[in-house]
Amino acid sequence: IEIRGQSHQALMPSTSAVHRLNVQEPIDVEFCDLVTHPESFRDRLVRVKAVYETTFEWHRLYHNACRSSKNYVWPVFECDTIEACEKFRQQIKKDMIGDPFSGKRVAVVLLARFRESNNPKRGFGVQGGLKFQLEILKIEATDRISKTVRKSKNRFR
């Protein structure tokens, strides 16, 4: 998981993250709207439901309603301390199911800043292959999903 900041200070959220939360009210947005109309949300604070998926090589966000390789989003935890980043990791892991080879998954509700790369040769994530990124400021909820993701009846679909 990509993280920002490496100091060993307090377990408090980053002051820059807190400042960003106070400056702008988040927009509640459907994941599919976010990736199909990115110009409407570029650099905005959003609240979005998604599936967080990770393997031993990569991680990404998606939603089953519009799942395709062009709609994957690279998640980045915005945290100022190792301890704060560890809290994000533990929150993500607690409801995750699956294995590191085929993928571990968890449904999430995130408060994040949405970014879009306008450079087709340099995006986000592994080898710059993703067009979108969410800079995660807060994980509002996680929920275990069934192994058959498409048949899940949980509230995050």
Side-chain angles (χ1 to χ4, degrees), residues 7-42:
S7 69
H8 293 281
Q9 298 300 316
L11 288 171
M12 299 290 291
S14 97
T15 54
S16 59
V18 170
H19 177 70
R20 283 184 297 228
L21 285 171
N22 293 332
V23 169
Q24 182 184 76
E25 287 295 317
I27 301 168
D28 291 338
V29 61
E30 296 293 326
F31 185 90
C32 296
D33 291 338
L34 192 67
V35 296
T36 57
H37 303 289
E39 66 284 352
S40 299
F41 307 103
R42 189 176 298 124

PDB file of all heavy atoms in Angstrom, residues 7-42:
ATOM      1  N   SER A   7       7.255  10.179   9.335  1.00  0.00           N
ATOM      2  CA  SER A   7       7.720  10.575  10.664  1.00  0.00           C
ATOM      3  C   SER A   7       7.140   9.646  11.717  1.00  0.00           C
ATOM      4  O   SER A   7       6.207   8.904  11.473  1.00  0.00           O
ATOM      5  CB  SER A   7       7.328  12.024  10.952  1.00  0.00           C
ATOM      6  OG  SER A   7       5.931  12.120  11.107  1.00  0.00           O
ATOM      7  N   HIS A   8       7.697   9.715  12.930  1.00  0.00           N
ATOM      8  CA  HIS A   8       7.257   8.851  14.027  1.00  0.00           C
ATOM      9  C   HIS A   8       6.577   9.653  15.123  1.00  0.00           C
ATOM     10  O   HIS A   8       6.668   9.308  16.280  1.00  0.00           O
ATOM     11  CB  HIS A   8       8.457   8.112  14.630  1.00  0.00           C
ATOM     12  CG  HIS A   8       9.064   7.133  13.699  1.00  0.00           C
ATOM     13  ND1 HIS A   8       8.531   5.902  13.484  1.00  0.00           N
ATOM     14  CD2 HIS A   8      10.152   7.216  12.899  1.00  0.00           C
ATOM     15  CE1 HIS A   8       9.275   5.248  12.609  1.00  0.00           C
ATOM     16  NE2 HIS A   8      10.259   6.029  12.243  1.00  0.00           N
ATOM     17  N   GLN A   9       5.881  10.714  14.822  1.00  0.00           N
ATOM     18  CA  GLN A   9       5.291  11.579  15.831  1.00  0.00           C
ATOM     19  C   GLN A   9       4.089  10.907  16.494  1.00  0.00           C
ATOM     20  O   GLN A   9       4.212   9.863  17.053  1.00  0.00           O
ATOM     21  CB  GLN A   9       4.909  12.929  15.206  1.00  0.00           C
ATOM     22  CG  GLN A   9       6.112  13.683  14.661  1.00  0.00           C
ATOM     23  CD  GLN A   9       7.134  13.987  15.736  1.00  0.00           C
ATOM     24  OE1 GLN A   9       6.772  14.393  16.826  1.00  0.00           O
ATOM     25  NE2 GLN A   9       8.390  13.767  15.450  1.00  0.00           N
ATOM     26  N   ALA A  10       2.933  11.512  16.438  1.00  0.00           N
ATOM     27  CA  ALA A  10       1.758  11.043  17.168  1.00  0.00           C
ATOM     28  C   ALA A  10       0.865  10.173  16.300  1.00  0.00           C
ATOM     29  O   ALA A  10       1.101  10.028  15.112  1.00  0.00           O
ATOM     30  CB  ALA A  10       0.962  12.247  17.664  1.00  0.00           C
ATOM     31  N   LEU A  11      -0.175   9.612  16.925  1.00  0.00           N
ATOM     32  CA  LEU A  11      -1.160   8.815  16.199  1.00  0.00           C
ATOM     33  C   LEU A  11      -2.277   9.680  15.624  1.00  0.00           C
ATOM     34  O   LEU A  11      -3.241   9.179  15.096  1.00  0.00           O
ATOM     35  CB  LEU A  11      -1.782   7.775  17.139  1.00  0.00           C
ATOM     36  CG  LEU A  11      -0.860   6.638  17.519  1.00  0.00           C
ATOM     37  CD1 LEU A  11      -1.489   5.808  18.620  1.00  0.00           C
ATOM     38  CD2 LEU A  11      -0.545   5.782  16.321  1.00  0.00           C
ATOM     39  N   MET A  12      -2.140  10.981  15.726  1.00  0.00           N
ATOM     40  CA  MET A  12      -3.145  11.910  15.214  1.00  0.00           C
ATOM     41  C   MET A  12      -3.181  11.855  13.694  1.00  0.00           C
ATOM     42  O   MET A  12      -2.170  11.601  13.064  1.00  0.00           O
ATOM     43  CB  MET A  12      -2.800  13.341  15.648  1.00  0.00           C
ATOM     44  CG  MET A  12      -2.758  13.526  17.146  1.00  0.00           C
ATOM     45  SD  MET A  12      -4.384  13.441  17.870  1.00  0.00           S
ATOM     46  CE  MET A  12      -5.075  14.945  17.233  1.00  0.00           C
ATOM     47  N   PRO A  13      -4.350  12.142  13.094  1.00  0.00           N
ATOM     48  CA  PRO A  13      -4.384  12.261  11.644  1.00  0.00           C
ATOM     49  C   PRO A  13      -3.492  13.421  11.215  1.00  0.00           C
ATOM     50  O   PRO A  13      -3.242  14.329  11.982  1.00  0.00           O
ATOM     51  CB  PRO A  13      -5.845  12.567  11.327  1.00  0.00           C
ATOM     52  CG  PRO A  13      -6.597  12.438  12.596  1.00  0.00           C
ATOM     53  CD  PRO A  13      -5.622  12.374  13.712  1.00  0.00           C
ATOM     54  N   SER A  14      -3.049  13.383  10.009  1.00  0.00           N
ATOM     55  CA  SER A  14      -2.175  14.445   9.528  1.00  0.00           C
ATOM     56  C   SER A  14      -2.895  15.780   9.602  1.00  0.00           C
ATOM     57  O   SER A  14      -4.078  15.876   9.321  1.00  0.00           O
ATOM     58  CB  SER A  14      -1.745  14.139   8.090  1.00  0.00           C
ATOM     59  OG  SER A  14      -2.517  14.802   7.164  1.00  0.00           O
ATOM     60  N   THR A  15      -2.160  16.813   9.979  1.00  0.00           N
ATOM     61  CA  THR A  15      -2.767  18.140  10.063  1.00  0.00           C
ATOM     62  C   THR A  15      -3.190  18.612   8.685  1.00  0.00           C
ATOM     63  O   THR A  15      -4.193  19.282   8.538  1.00  0.00           O
ATOM     64  CB  THR A  15      -1.801  19.153  10.707  1.00  0.00           C
ATOM     65  OG1 THR A  15      -0.573  19.126   9.988  1.00  0.00           O
ATOM     66  CG2 THR A  15      -1.587  18.838  12.157  1.00  0.00           C
ATOM     67  N   SER A  16      -2.424  18.242   7.664  1.00  0.00           N
ATOM     68  CA  SER A  16      -2.815  18.629   6.313  1.00  0.00           C
ATOM     69  C   SER A  16      -4.099  17.907   5.906  1.00  0.00           C
ATOM     70  O   SER A  16      -4.960  18.473   5.248  1.00  0.00           O
ATOM     71  CB  SER A  16      -1.693  18.352   5.317  1.00  0.00           C
ATOM     72  OG  SER A  16      -1.359  16.991   5.322  1.00  0.00           O
ATOM     73  N   ALA A  17      -4.250  16.644   6.313  1.00  0.00           N
ATOM     74  CA  ALA A  17      -5.477  15.906   6.008  1.00  0.00           C
ATOM     75  C   ALA A  17      -6.659  16.525   6.742  1.00  0.00           C
ATOM     76  O   ALA A  17      -7.740  16.693   6.173  1.00  0.00           O
ATOM     77  CB  ALA A  17      -5.335  14.439   6.387  1.00  0.00           C
ATOM     78  N   VAL A  18      -6.469  16.886   8.009  1.00  0.00           N
ATOM     79  CA  VAL A  18      -7.544  17.514   8.774  1.00  0.00           C
ATOM     80  C   VAL A  18      -7.915  18.842   8.126  1.00  0.00           C
ATOM     81  O   VAL A  18      -9.085  19.167   7.968  1.00  0.00           O
ATOM     82  CB  VAL A  18      -7.127  17.711  10.247  1.00  0.00           C
ATOM     83  CG1 VAL A  18      -8.130  18.586  10.979  1.00  0.00           C
ATOM     84  CG2 VAL A  18      -6.989  16.368  10.937  1.00  0.00           C
ATOM     85  N   HIS A  19      -6.923  19.614   7.727  1.00  0.00           N
ATOM     86  CA  HIS A  19      -7.184  20.896   7.075  1.00  0.00           C
ATOM     87  C   HIS A  19      -7.997  20.699   5.797  1.00  0.00           C
ATOM     88  O   HIS A  19      -8.964  21.405   5.554  1.00  0.00           O
ATOM     89  CB  HIS A  19      -5.865  21.617   6.771  1.00  0.00           C
ATOM     90  CG  HIS A  19      -6.060  22.898   6.030  1.00  0.00           C
ATOM     91  ND1 HIS A  19      -6.623  24.008   6.613  1.00  0.00           N
ATOM     92  CD2 HIS A  19      -5.805  23.230   4.744  1.00  0.00           C
ATOM     93  CE1 HIS A  19      -6.690  24.980   5.721  1.00  0.00           C
ATOM     94  NE2 HIS A  19      -6.201  24.532   4.576  1.00  0.00           N
ATOM     95  N   ARG A  20      -7.618  19.712   5.002  1.00  0.00           N
ATOM     96  CA  ARG A  20      -8.346  19.454   3.755  1.00  0.00           C
ATOM     97  C   ARG A  20      -9.786  19.045   4.035  1.00  0.00           C
ATOM     98  O   ARG A  20     -10.690  19.388   3.308  1.00  0.00           O
ATOM     99  CB  ARG A  20      -7.646  18.387   2.928  1.00  0.00           C
ATOM    100  CG  ARG A  20      -6.432  18.919   2.214  1.00  0.00           C
ATOM    101  CD  ARG A  20      -5.872  17.845   1.361  1.00  0.00           C
ATOM    102  NE  ARG A  20      -5.459  16.763   2.238  1.00  0.00           N
ATOM    103  CZ  ARG A  20      -4.284  16.159   2.173  1.00  0.00           C
ATOM    104  NH1 ARG A  20      -3.435  16.494   1.247  1.00  0.00           N
ATOM    105  NH2 ARG A  20      -3.972  15.209   3.003  1.00  0.00           N
ATOM    106  N   LEU A  21     -10.001  18.285   5.127  1.00  0.00           N
ATOM    107  CA  LEU A  21     -11.364  17.884   5.477  1.00  0.00           C
ATOM    108  C   LEU A  21     -12.207  19.098   5.837  1.00  0.00           C
ATOM    109  O   LEU A  21     -13.389  19.156   5.535  1.00  0.00           O
ATOM    110  CB  LEU A  21     -11.343  16.908   6.655  1.00  0.00           C
ATOM    111  CG  LEU A  21     -10.890  15.493   6.344  1.00  0.00           C
ATOM    112  CD1 LEU A  21     -10.719  14.708   7.623  1.00  0.00           C
ATOM    113  CD2 LEU A  21     -11.863  14.807   5.431  1.00  0.00           C
ATOM    114  N   ASN A  22     -11.616  20.077   6.507  1.00  0.00           N
ATOM    115  CA  ASN A  22     -12.354  21.248   6.959  1.00  0.00           C
ATOM    116  C   ASN A  22     -12.585  22.264   5.848  1.00  0.00           C
ATOM    117  O   ASN A  22     -13.487  23.066   5.929  1.00  0.00           O
ATOM    118  CB  ASN A  22     -11.619  21.920   8.126  1.00  0.00           C
ATOM    119  CG  ASN A  22     -11.631  21.034   9.357  1.00  0.00           C
ATOM    120  OD1 ASN A  22     -12.533  20.232   9.534  1.00  0.00           O
ATOM    121  ND2 ASN A  22     -10.633  21.177  10.190  1.00  0.00           N
ATOM    122  N   VAL A  23     -11.758  22.274   4.827  1.00  0.00           N
ATOM    123  CA  VAL A  23     -11.843  23.273   3.776  1.00  0.00           C
ATOM    124  C   VAL A  23     -13.019  23.004   2.848  1.00  0.00           C
ATOM    125  O   VAL A  23     -13.662  23.921   2.373  1.00  0.00           O
ATOM    126  CB  VAL A  23     -10.523  23.320   2.970  1.00  0.00           C
ATOM    127  CG1 VAL A  23     -10.665  24.152   1.717  1.00  0.00           C
ATOM    128  CG2 VAL A  23      -9.403  23.828   3.847  1.00  0.00           C
ATOM    129  N   GLN A  24     -13.332  21.764   2.598  1.00  0.00           N
ATOM    130  CA  GLN A  24     -14.331  21.430   1.592  1.00  0.00           C
ATOM    131  C   GLN A  24     -15.221  20.308   2.102  1.00  0.00           C
ATOM    132  O   GLN A  24     -14.738  19.326   2.645  1.00  0.00           O
ATOM    133  CB  GLN A  24     -13.589  20.982   0.333  1.00  0.00           C
ATOM    134  CG  GLN A  24     -14.454  20.646  -0.823  1.00  0.00           C
ATOM    135  CD  GLN A  24     -13.608  20.130  -1.973  1.00  0.00           C
ATOM    136  OE1 GLN A  24     -13.150  18.997  -1.947  1.00  0.00           O
ATOM    137  NE2 GLN A  24     -13.408  20.968  -2.956  1.00  0.00           N
ATOM    138  N   GLU A  25     -16.511  20.460   1.924  1.00  0.00           N
ATOM    139  CA  GLU A  25     -17.433  19.387   2.274  1.00  0.00           C
ATOM    140  C   GLU A  25     -17.322  18.278   1.230  1.00  0.00           C
ATOM    141  O   GLU A  25     -17.236  18.568   0.031  1.00  0.00           O
ATOM    142  CB  GLU A  25     -18.868  19.910   2.316  1.00  0.00           C
ATOM    143  CG  GLU A  25     -19.165  20.781   3.506  1.00  0.00           C
ATOM    144  CD  GLU A  25     -19.079  20.023   4.806  1.00  0.00           C
ATOM    145  OE1 GLU A  25     -19.583  18.877   4.889  1.00  0.00           O
ATOM    146  OE2 GLU A  25     -18.474  20.569   5.747  1.00  0.00           O
ATOM    147  N   PRO A  26     -17.340  17.021   1.666  1.00  0.00           N
ATOM    148  CA  PRO A  26     -17.245  15.933   0.682  1.00  0.00           C
ATOM    149  C   PRO A  26     -18.523  15.808  -0.143  1.00  0.00           C
ATOM    150  O   PRO A  26     -19.612  16.121   0.318  1.00  0.00           O
ATOM    151  CB  PRO A  26     -17.040  14.694   1.550  1.00  0.00           C
ATOM    152  CG  PRO A  26     -17.563  15.061   2.889  1.00  0.00           C
ATOM    153  CD  PRO A  26     -17.394  16.541   3.037  1.00  0.00           C
ATOM    154  N   ILE A  27     -18.345  15.341  -1.360  1.00  0.00           N
ATOM    155  CA  ILE A  27     -19.455  15.048  -2.266  1.00  0.00           C
ATOM    156  C   ILE A  27     -19.699  13.543  -2.197  1.00  0.00           C
ATOM    157  O   ILE A  27     -18.774  12.762  -2.409  1.00  0.00           O
ATOM    158  CB  ILE A  27     -19.092  15.424  -3.718  1.00  0.00           C
ATOM    159  CG1 ILE A  27     -18.757  16.895  -3.830  1.00  0.00           C
ATOM    160  CG2 ILE A  27     -20.215  15.040  -4.665  1.00  0.00           C
ATOM    161  CD1 ILE A  27     -18.114  17.248  -5.167  1.00  0.00           C
ATOM    162  N   ASP A  28     -20.927  13.139  -1.896  1.00  0.00           N
ATOM    163  CA  ASP A  28     -21.279  11.719  -1.963  1.00  0.00           C
ATOM    164  C   ASP A  28     -21.456  11.370  -3.430  1.00  0.00           C
ATOM    165  O   ASP A  28     -22.260  12.001  -4.128  1.00  0.00           O
ATOM    166  CB  ASP A  28     -22.567  11.424  -1.199  1.00  0.00           C
ATOM    167  CG  ASP A  28     -22.403  11.585   0.305  1.00  0.00           C
ATOM    168  OD1 ASP A  28     -21.260  11.504   0.794  1.00  0.00           O
ATOM    169  OD2 ASP A  28     -23.414  11.800   0.985  1.00  0.00           O
ATOM    170  N   VAL A  29     -20.687  10.381  -3.888  1.00  0.00           N
ATOM    171  CA  VAL A  29     -20.700  10.062  -5.312  1.00  0.00           C
ATOM    172  C   VAL A  29     -20.691   8.545  -5.505  1.00  0.00           C
ATOM    173  O   VAL A  29     -20.077   7.820  -4.725  1.00  0.00           O
ATOM    174  CB  VAL A  29     -19.500  10.724  -6.033  1.00  0.00           C
ATOM    175  CG1 VAL A  29     -18.183  10.238  -5.502  1.00  0.00           C
ATOM    176  CG2 VAL A  29     -19.564  10.529  -7.534  1.00  0.00           C
ATOM    177  N   GLU A  30     -21.388   8.098  -6.523  1.00  0.00           N
ATOM    178  CA  GLU A  30     -21.341   6.692  -6.909  1.00  0.00           C
ATOM    179  C   GLU A  30     -20.008   6.440  -7.605  1.00  0.00           C
ATOM    180  O   GLU A  30     -19.550   7.263  -8.399  1.00  0.00           O
ATOM    181  CB  GLU A  30     -22.492   6.346  -7.862  1.00  0.00           C
ATOM    182  CG  GLU A  30     -23.866   6.489  -7.253  1.00  0.00           C
ATOM    183  CD  GLU A  30     -24.133   5.472  -6.160  1.00  0.00           C
ATOM    184  OE1 GLU A  30     -23.636   4.334  -6.261  1.00  0.00           O
ATOM    185  OE2 GLU A  30     -24.838   5.832  -5.196  1.00  0.00           O
ATOM    186  N   PHE A  31     -19.396   5.307  -7.338  1.00  0.00           N
ATOM    187  CA  PHE A  31     -18.100   4.983  -7.917  1.00  0.00           C
ATOM    188  C   PHE A  31     -18.139   5.074  -9.443  1.00  0.00           C
ATOM    189  O   PHE A  31     -17.232   5.635 -10.061  1.00  0.00           O
ATOM    190  CB  PHE A  31     -17.659   3.579  -7.475  1.00  0.00           C
ATOM    191  CG  PHE A  31     -16.281   3.225  -7.923  1.00  0.00           C
ATOM    192  CD1 PHE A  31     -15.184   3.508  -7.124  1.00  0.00           C
ATOM    193  CD2 PHE A  31     -16.057   2.617  -9.153  1.00  0.00           C
ATOM    194  CE1 PHE A  31     -13.902   3.190  -7.527  1.00  0.00           C
ATOM    195  CE2 PHE A  31     -14.779   2.294  -9.574  1.00  0.00           C
ATOM    196  CZ  PHE A  31     -13.700   2.580  -8.750  1.00  0.00           C
ATOM    197  N   CYS A  32     -19.175   4.535 -10.048  1.00  0.00           N
ATOM    198  CA  CYS A  32     -19.252   4.537 -11.517  1.00  0.00           C
ATOM    199  C   CYS A  32     -19.338   5.955 -12.080  1.00  0.00           C
ATOM    200  O   CYS A  32     -18.771   6.233 -13.135  1.00  0.00           O
ATOM    201  CB  CYS A  32     -20.427   3.689 -11.980  1.00  0.00           C
ATOM    202  SG  CYS A  32     -20.239   1.946 -11.531  1.00  0.00           S
ATOM    203  N   ASP A  33     -20.021   6.861 -11.377  1.00  0.00           N
ATOM    204  CA  ASP A  33     -20.059   8.257 -11.808  1.00  0.00           C
ATOM    205  C   ASP A  33     -18.669   8.877 -11.709  1.00  0.00           C
ATOM    206  O   ASP A  33     -18.266   9.666 -12.567  1.00  0.00           O
ATOM    207  CB  ASP A  33     -21.041   9.067 -10.966  1.00  0.00           C
ATOM    208  CG  ASP A  33     -22.485   8.683 -11.233  1.00  0.00           C
ATOM    209  OD1 ASP A  33     -22.777   8.117 -12.311  1.00  0.00           O
ATOM    210  OD2 ASP A  33     -23.331   8.956 -10.359  1.00  0.00           O
ATOM    211  N   LEU A  34     -17.947   8.520 -10.666  1.00  0.00           N
ATOM    212  CA  LEU A  34     -16.599   9.051 -10.452  1.00  0.00           C
ATOM    213  C   LEU A  34     -15.681   8.725 -11.630  1.00  0.00           C
ATOM    214  O   LEU A  34     -14.986   9.600 -12.141  1.00  0.00           O
ATOM    215  CB  LEU A  34     -16.035   8.442  -9.165  1.00  0.00           C
ATOM    216  CG  LEU A  34     -14.786   9.019  -8.573  1.00  0.00           C
ATOM    217  CD1 LEU A  34     -15.012  10.429  -8.057  1.00  0.00           C
ATOM    218  CD2 LEU A  34     -14.304   8.122  -7.441  1.00  0.00           C
ATOM    219  N   VAL A  35     -15.702   7.489 -12.093  1.00  0.00           N
ATOM    220  CA  VAL A  35     -14.776   7.077 -13.152  1.00  0.00           C
ATOM    221  C   VAL A  35     -15.299   7.340 -14.564  1.00  0.00           C
ATOM    222  O   VAL A  35     -14.508   7.400 -15.497  1.00  0.00           O
ATOM    223  CB  VAL A  35     -14.350   5.590 -12.996  1.00  0.00           C
ATOM    224  CG1 VAL A  35     -13.576   5.394 -11.709  1.00  0.00           C
ATOM    225  CG2 VAL A  35     -15.543   4.647 -13.060  1.00  0.00           C
ATOM    226  N   THR A  36     -16.608   7.511 -14.716  1.00  0.00           N
ATOM    227  CA  THR A  36     -17.128   7.803 -16.059  1.00  0.00           C
ATOM    228  C   THR A  36     -17.267   9.302 -16.322  1.00  0.00           C
ATOM    229  O   THR A  36     -17.342   9.711 -17.478  1.00  0.00           O
ATOM    230  CB  THR A  36     -18.481   7.108 -16.318  1.00  0.00           C
ATOM    231  OG1 THR A  36     -19.413   7.501 -15.316  1.00  0.00           O
ATOM    232  CG2 THR A  36     -18.326   5.595 -16.334  1.00  0.00           C
ATOM    233  N   HIS A  37     -17.287  10.105 -15.269  1.00  0.00           N
ATOM    234  CA  HIS A  37     -17.355  11.564 -15.401  1.00  0.00           C
ATOM    235  C   HIS A  37     -16.297  12.213 -14.510  1.00  0.00           C
ATOM    236  O   HIS A  37     -16.629  13.028 -13.630  1.00  0.00           O
ATOM    237  CB  HIS A  37     -18.751  12.079 -15.025  1.00  0.00           C
ATOM    238  CG  HIS A  37     -19.843  11.467 -15.825  1.00  0.00           C
ATOM    239  ND1 HIS A  37     -20.032  11.760 -17.156  1.00  0.00           N
ATOM    240  CD2 HIS A  37     -20.784  10.561 -15.491  1.00  0.00           C
ATOM    241  CE1 HIS A  37     -21.068  11.058 -17.605  1.00  0.00           C
ATOM    242  NE2 HIS A  37     -21.528  10.319 -16.621  1.00  0.00           N
ATOM    243  N   PRO A  38     -15.031  11.855 -14.700  1.00  0.00           N
ATOM    244  CA  PRO A  38     -13.984  12.327 -13.788  1.00  0.00           C
ATOM    245  C   PRO A  38     -13.831  13.849 -13.755  1.00  0.00           C
ATOM    246  O   PRO A  38     -13.446  14.408 -12.729  1.00  0.00           O
ATOM    247  CB  PRO A  38     -12.714  11.656 -14.313  1.00  0.00           C
ATOM    248  CG  PRO A  38     -13.009  11.333 -15.736  1.00  0.00           C
ATOM    249  CD  PRO A  38     -14.484  11.055 -15.796  1.00  0.00           C
ATOM    250  N   GLU A  39     -14.161  14.513 -14.836  1.00  0.00           N
ATOM    251  CA  GLU A  39     -14.025  15.973 -14.885  1.00  0.00           C
ATOM    252  C   GLU A  39     -14.893  16.657 -13.836  1.00  0.00           C
ATOM    253  O   GLU A  39     -14.561  17.742 -13.350  1.00  0.00           O
ATOM    254  CB  GLU A  39     -14.354  16.506 -16.284  1.00  0.00           C
ATOM    255  CG  GLU A  39     -15.794  16.349 -16.725  1.00  0.00           C
ATOM    256  CD  GLU A  39     -16.219  14.943 -17.157  1.00  0.00           C
ATOM    257  OE1 GLU A  39     -15.364  14.042 -17.284  1.00  0.00           O
ATOM    258  OE2 GLU A  39     -17.434  14.741 -17.357  1.00  0.00           O
ATOM    259  N   SER A  40     -15.977  16.022 -13.424  1.00  0.00           N
ATOM    260  CA  SER A  40     -16.874  16.601 -12.417  1.00  0.00           C
ATOM    261  C   SER A  40     -16.321  16.490 -10.995  1.00  0.00           C
ATOM    262  O   SER A  40     -16.805  17.190 -10.101  1.00  0.00           O
ATOM    263  CB  SER A  40     -18.236  15.906 -12.461  1.00  0.00           C
ATOM    264  OG  SER A  40     -18.828  16.070 -13.721  1.00  0.00           O
ATOM    265  N   PHE A  41     -15.334  15.617 -10.793  1.00  0.00           N
ATOM    266  CA  PHE A  41     -14.857  15.335  -9.440  1.00  0.00           C
ATOM    267  C   PHE A  41     -13.357  15.550  -9.259  1.00  0.00           C
ATOM    268  O   PHE A  41     -12.832  15.345  -8.166  1.00  0.00           O
ATOM    269  CB  PHE A  41     -15.227  13.896  -9.059  1.00  0.00           C
ATOM    270  CG  PHE A  41     -16.688  13.617  -9.256  1.00  0.00           C
ATOM    271  CD1 PHE A  41     -17.131  12.897 -10.346  1.00  0.00           C
ATOM    272  CD2 PHE A  41     -17.624  14.119  -8.368  1.00  0.00           C
ATOM    273  CE1 PHE A  41     -18.487  12.653 -10.549  1.00  0.00           C
ATOM    274  CE2 PHE A  41     -18.978  13.889  -8.549  1.00  0.00           C
ATOM    275  CZ  PHE A  41     -19.417  13.148  -9.640  1.00  0.00           C
ATOM    276  N   ARG A  42     -12.678  15.960 -10.302  1.00  0.00           N
ATOM    277  CA  ARG A  42     -11.223  16.126 -10.274  1.00  0.00           C
ATOM    278  C   ARG A  42     -10.803  17.019  -9.112  1.00  0.00           C
ATOM    279  O   ARG A  42     -11.321  18.119  -8.939  1.00  0.00           O
ATOM    280  CB  ARG A  42     -10.751  16.709 -11.600  1.00  0.00           C
ATOM    281  CG  ARG A  42      -9.253  16.735 -11.771  1.00  0.00           C
ATOM    282  CD  ARG A  42      -8.840  17.242 -13.141  1.00  0.00           C
ATOM    283  NE  ARG A  42      -9.347  16.356 -14.189  1.00  0.00           N
ATOM    284  CZ  ARG A  42     -10.121  16.780 -15.187  1.00  0.00           C
ATOM    285  NH1 ARG A  42     -10.485  18.039 -15.287  1.00  0.00           N
ATOM    286  NH2 ARG A  42     -10.527  15.919 -16.099  1.00  0.00           N
TER     287      ARG A  42
END
